[in-house]
DNA sequence: CGATGAATTGAGAAGTATCAACCTGGGTGG
DNA sequence: CCACCCAGGTTGATACTTCTCAATTCATCG
């Protein structure tokens, strides 16, 4: 593993509090892999062999049933994933596929993670914090799905994205529209229509570029709610 | 607090591994309360003052936005709740209301929980396990909502409920139909219609009594999936 | 025995999915 | 270099699911 990659891992909240010796054990057991776009990294139902850390690229988590597919979340680096499955040693509840070329992932054997977890209180504490945040994120997502229409979800997603991309009001979609549609729980066709509908709220679209022309108007339409949209709360 | 109540708390997976002395600290700081039906115990957005343990009765967790209300989950005793909010010391993401009369709750001050959490590795470990399971439960719920129609959710809920209520194929609804409807993400009207529709799959309804006449037929309709429906996986 | 709230039923509206056609830009191979 | 192909995206027509509103029945309780 390149020093560069292990440093990224070390800087994650999940690993920052791990004792150095234990961290070295984890890194020594782990290795790095790169994947092209569309690679399915993990399959729903299988057992976790590794804790994964996304270092570069993007990953979509999705589940399949009844000939349908639903995206549960999209992960941006740096972030650990499938921690819960490793901890409880239960089957993956979702599959994961890379959304961008040269997606880089650090793999740490699940057994090593559980061992260090047992003897390193710093790691245990960080694990608790991580899981608690993940839990709360999904609760928010469930609220988002159940309390809003698809256009409202889109509008709020755009608001969040715009505010995270500096204040200029214009940003580039971080992934394809089809991926965004699935992330928001809608069909590509409906995303198109919803984007067209948001023109009334001052949103203009040019290919992958989104422009929020009138933030106040978009906020009035979106009715953002920190208990759904604020990733930090 | 009655010995009976503290024993229930002690027996929970979350508290079983806590050192006795620390457990006594928690119990000494805590107290018991009983509430009538419809009492709102916690309010979305407020700060957590107590870790709650449901000892008797039932509680629905719900969130409000846009003049809508959505039930996120329904809890049956014994179980701790709002653990994640206490751990991260963040605002409640959902409100909670009692569904049954004389719902009994043990309240343990959040500060005491966080203190014990810091020094008791058994408790920290149990917290991780609890949070990981909760997280996975919600992921399953999100899949349930996104991958199934409302009648399918109902059918699978009935299957799970019937299997948990002994093998006779008949069981009583544990709460009102309106609560069930909200739990399943549908309106009471649609629950009525969906129940009527399930007659084709051999389900008969008499007030609060549900009878699964032909389990095989219901399974064929429901297409159950352990990665959505199995509470233990 | 009336009052209240839950449950059901029906009719209509809204939201979303599905299917098909078409456009468009980027890449490929002749 | 250009014609072609192809995948992603858009647009339109239609069907299905779910919501909403209104009216009715039913059981429970003071």
């Amino acid at each position: 593993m390149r020093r560069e990659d292990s440093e990224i891992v070390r800087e994650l909240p999940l690993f920052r509090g791990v004792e150095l010796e234990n961290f070295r054990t984890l890194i020594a057991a782990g290795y790095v892999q790169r994947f092209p776009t569309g690679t399915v990294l993990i399959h729903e139902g299988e057992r976790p062999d590794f804790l994964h850390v996304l270092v570069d690229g993007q990953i979509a988590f999705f589940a399949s049933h009844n000939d349908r597919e639903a995206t549960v979340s999209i992960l941006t680096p740096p972030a650990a994933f499938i921690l819960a499955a490793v901890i409880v040693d239960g089957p993956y509840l979702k599959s994961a596929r890379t959304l961008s070329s040269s997606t880089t992932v650090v793999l740490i054997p699940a057994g090593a993670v559980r061992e260090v977890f047992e003897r390193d209180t710093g790691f245990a504490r960080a694990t608790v914090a991580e899981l608690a945040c993940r839990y709360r994120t999904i609760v928010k997502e469930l609220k988002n799905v159940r309390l809003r229409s698809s256009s409202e979800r889109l509008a709020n997603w755009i608001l969040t994205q715009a505010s995270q991309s500096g204040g200029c009001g214009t940003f580039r979609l971080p992934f394809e529209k089809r991926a965004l549609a699935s992330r928001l729980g809608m069909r590509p066709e409906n995303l198109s229509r919803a984007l067209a509908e948001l023109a009334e709220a001052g949103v203009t679209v040019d290919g992958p570029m989104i422009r929020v022309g009138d933030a106040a108007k978009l906020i009035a339409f979106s009715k953002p709610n920190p208990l759904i949209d604020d990733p930090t709360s």
Side-chain angles (χ1 to χ4, degrees), chain A:
Chain A
M1 193 181 309
R2 295 179 303 173
R3 172 180 216 94
E4 195 183 323
D5 291 326
S6 71
E7 302 245 315
I8 291 176
V9 176
R10 180 62 169 171
E11 283 305 310
L12 284 173
L14 182 59
F15 291 102
R16 209 176 289 153
V18 178
E19 284 179 34
L20 188 56
E21 189 190 347
N22 291 330
F23 181 73
R24 288 203 175 120
T25 306
L26 290 175
I27 286 298
Y31 56 98
V32 184
Q33 279 202 300
R34 305 185 127 226
F35 302 95
T37 307
T39 312
V40 177
L41 298 179
I42 65 178
H43 296 263
E44 198 177 352
E46 293 184 354
R47 292 264 153 191
D49 294 324
F50 299 94
L51 174 64
H52 296 228
V53 179
L54 175 60
V55 169
D56 191 36
Q58 278 167 329
I59 292 177
F61 293 92
F62 64 98
S64 307
H65 179 70
N66 266 357
D67 300 318
R68 294 196 225 186
E69 186 178 299
T71 297
V72 177
S73 60
I74 292 181
L75 201 69
T76 51
F81 59 99
I82 53 165
L83 180 58
V86 169
I87 292 295
V88 309
D89 198 17
Y92 297 137
L93 297 178
K94 38 199 185 188
S95 306
R97 102 161 49 94
T98 58
L99 288 183
S100 35
S101 57
S102 75
T103 296
T104 311
V105 175
V106 172
L107 300 156
I108 303 171
V113 172
R114 283 191 285 263
E115 268 172 39
V116 169
F117 174 78
E118 286 299 323
R119 66 167 182 267
D120 191 315
T121 59
F123 186 48
R125 226 169 280 156
T127 302
V128 168
E130 175 89 9
L131 286 175
C133 289
R134 292 295 170 116
Y135 174 78
R136 286 167 65 85
T137 300
I138 300 228
V139 170
K140 287 179 219 157
E141 189 51 36
L142 197 54
K143 289 168 65 175
N144 198 26
V145 169
R146 293 252 280 241
L147 295 170
R148 284 180 173 149
S149 70
S150 58
S151 339
E152 286 173 332
R153 292 198 294 277
L154 171 61
N156 280 289
W157 183 86
I158 290 176
L159 267 184
T160 305
Q161 212 63 20
S163 75
Q164 283 175 1
S165 314
C168 78
T170 305
F171 67 94
R172 170 182 290 271
L173 292 178
F175 29 73
E176 290 182 344
K177 285 182 184 161
R178 47 178 40 242
L180 175 59
S182 187
R183 158 71 242 273
L184 294 172
M186 54 205 291
R187 301 282 136 176
E189 295 95 324
N190 290 333
L191 175 60
S192 273
R193 290 186 252 265
L195 278 172
E197 182 192 335
L198 286 186
E200 290 174 31
V203 176
T204 45
V205 183
D206 178 23
M209 299 303 297
I210 307 285
R211 201 175 110 73
V212 177
D214 185 342
K217 206 183 260 181
L218 185 55
I219 287 173
F221 178 89
S222 309
K223 285 165 274 177
N225 179 338
L227 298 177
I228 299 178
D229 306 299
D230 186 353
T232 67
S233 83

